[in-house]
Amino acid sequence: MGEEINNDRRHFLGTALMTVAARRFGLASLANMPINELSGGDGIMTVPSGRSSFDSLKQIDAGVLNVGYAEAGAASGPPVILLHGWPYDIHAFVDVAPILAAKGYRVIMPYLRGSGTTRFLSNETLRNGEQAAIAVDTIALMDALKIQKAIVAGFDWGSRTAGIMAALWPERVKALVAVSGYISVNLVANQQPLPPKAELGWWYQYYFATERGVLGYTKNTYDFNKLIWQLASPKWKFDDATYDRTAQSFNNPDHVKIVIHNYRWRLSLADGEAKYSALEQRIFTRPVITVPSITIASDFDGAAADGKGYADRFTGKYSHRVLNDIGHNVPQEAPKAFAQAVIDVDSY
């Protein structure tokens, strides 16, 4: 899950779709409809039943990975890359994608390393979950798809990745939407202890630091991640079918290794790779983000929801939005609001 900004926040812990939509409304009419007509109340899309998944996935070699991804919208449209986190997958954007596709965007939703159909090209590659590696993965995907510049939006690990891309490669990022704001990790700062109540919110990180935790997560991945969903989004009444759709992505053979390495690396209990160390040193300085940006906070962010703790990291055109009664999985809980942020930031 995402790196919380302050102590109060931690208590929460915690072109398939376009085709479906076009069949009901027609592409031209969808493109001209206001977004409030494309989505129903409480962020639920009024799209025909049957959009429970993506009709097909694509695969492409990119960097050290063969990346699985879903795509929606016209191939000639302005590209938008949507990045998920843990323990989520590309289905977090299943209701966001048709809104953006209807507005003319080319929407690309990759499985991060260790998730879904994404695989490492070599058995020798370290199963590394550090933040710089995942950002480099996404740049490599853009190169493979011949995308020079894209709007990048994400939540949890995906928000961190999108923010790092915007900070380190602003020439590749047209605009940014980042749930929970500026959440890159500084390993030195991350060694500082928190008050007991705040530390409680990180229980799963300490669990993962033990061999018991590795065994427990390996044996109980399904139930463990469902609990995280419930704790991180206590007001979201998702059903078993919704969770099961995403849970399939946890069957990736590298899933456990990537998750464990990510959290152990954050606690300085696991080394990263030397090839990423220069990038990590730049990230640790909290570089400013100059590209147009919108940050989104929710109930999950607690007292940090006002965004004041990271507002100074955004020096380009910038705005901050707060979503009440929404948990951590913003694109799935409030797809209309998330999609609107992408549309709005494109005009900044």
Side-chain angles (χ1 to χ4, degrees):
M1 286 176 50
E3 187 77 15
E4 283 81 349
I5 304 302
N6 70 8
N7 299 341
D8 291 302
R9 175 177 175 181
R10 289 174 170 82
H11 78 279
F12 284 93
L13 177 122
T15 1
L17 295 176
M18 190 58 198
T19 301
V20 171
R23 285 174 181 168
R24 181 175 182 184
F25 300 109
L27 179 59
S29 61
L30 269 173
N32 294 322
M33 287 175 68
I35 196 166
N36 64 334
E37 293 181 22
L38 281 169
S39 299
D42 299 323
I44 305 300
M45 283 277 299
T46 55
V47 176
S49 59
R51 77 184 190 297
S52 60
S53 190
F54 299 99
D55 285 351
S56 63
L57 292 173
K58 299 180 180 181
Q59 300 288 142
I60 191 168
D61 287 352
V64 300
L65 301 172
N66 177 261
V67 178
Y69 67 100
E71 186 169 350
S76 60
V80 176
I81 298 175
L82 303 180
L83 300 171
H84 69 84
W86 173 85
Y88 308 98
D89 80 334
I90 62 175
H91 291 96
F93 306 109
V94 74
D95 290 335
V96 173
I99 301 175
L100 296 178
K103 293 297 181 180
Y105 293 99
R106 178 189 181 188
V107 188
I108 297 162
M109 296 151 283
Y111 283 112
L112 301 188
R113 54 171 59 193
S115 180
T117 61
T118 291
R119 298 290 188 272
F120 285 89
L121 295 174
S122 171
N123 290 331
E124 304 305 313
T125 304
L126 177 69
R127 273 35 180 179
N128 178 359
E130 71 177 289
Q131 60 188 0
I134 300 172
V136 169
D137 288 347
T138 312
I139 294 293
L141 176 63
M142 292 177 66
D143 291 343
L145 294 173
K146 297 180 170 54
I147 294 172
Q148 179 57 35
K149 202 166 192 175
I151 300 170
V152 185
F155 73 109
D156 196 81
W157 292 17
S159 178
R160 178 177 298 109
T161 302
I164 290 170
M165 291 171 63
L168 300 189
W169 297 281
E171 72 280 3
R172 306 299 300 272
V173 178
K174 181 180 181 182
L176 168 71
V177 174
V179 172
S180 296
Y182 195 104
I183 55 175
S184 62
V185 177
N186 180 309
L187 291 185
V188 175
N190 212 40
Q191 290 299 301
Q192 296 303 308
L194 301 168
K197 185 177 179 181
E199 296 284 16
L200 178 63
W202 287 115
W203 65 274
Y204 59 94
Q205 292 201 31
Y206 303 123
Y207 184 65
F208 289 160
T210 69
E211 291 309 304
R212 176 189 175 98
V214 176
L215 182 61
Y217 188 60
T218 301
K219 288 187 173 183
N220 303 300
T221 309
Y222 179 94
D223 291 331
F224 192 102
N225 290 344
K226 192 171 187 179
L227 175 62
I228 297 293
W229 275 38
Q230 293 163 342
L231 293 173
S233 300
K235 296 180 182 178
W236 182 32
K237 306 304 180 185
F238 60 88
D239 57 21
D240 286 343
T242 297
Y243 176 73
D244 289 347
R245 181 181 61 191
T246 286
Q248 295 179 43
S249 70
F250 310 145
N251 294 325
N252 183 295
D254 299 306
H255 177 79
V256 172
K257 290 180 181 179
I258 294 298
V259 171
I260 297 300
H261 185 270
N262 176 283
Y263 289 109
R264 288 187 173 185
W265 176 84
R266 291 198 214 179
L267 293 175
S268 298
L269 299 175
D271 293 332
E273 290 181 84
K275 66 180 179 179
Y276 300 118
S277 59
L279 292 175
E280 293 292 3
Q281 291 304 315
R282 292 175 61 191
I283 295 167
F284 296 164
T285 67
R286 299 184 76 237
V288 297
I289 293 174
T290 60
V291 306
S293 302
I294 293 176
T295 53
I296 299 175
S298 67
D299 285 358
F300 181 85
D301 299 287
D306 61 13
K308 293 179 180 178
Y310 47 77
D312 66 343
R313 297 297 86 197
F314 297 90
T315 60
K317 187 168 183 181
Y318 168 70
S319 65
H320 180 70
R321 299 176 180 183
V322 179
L323 304 180
N324 296 317
D325 298 321
I326 299 297
H328 192 40
N329 188 353
V330 169
Q332 204 159 0
E333 296 180 67
K336 179 172 65 174
F338 188 86
Q340 189 64 61
V342 172
I343 295 165
D344 291 347
V345 81
D346 188 25
S347 65
Y348 277 13

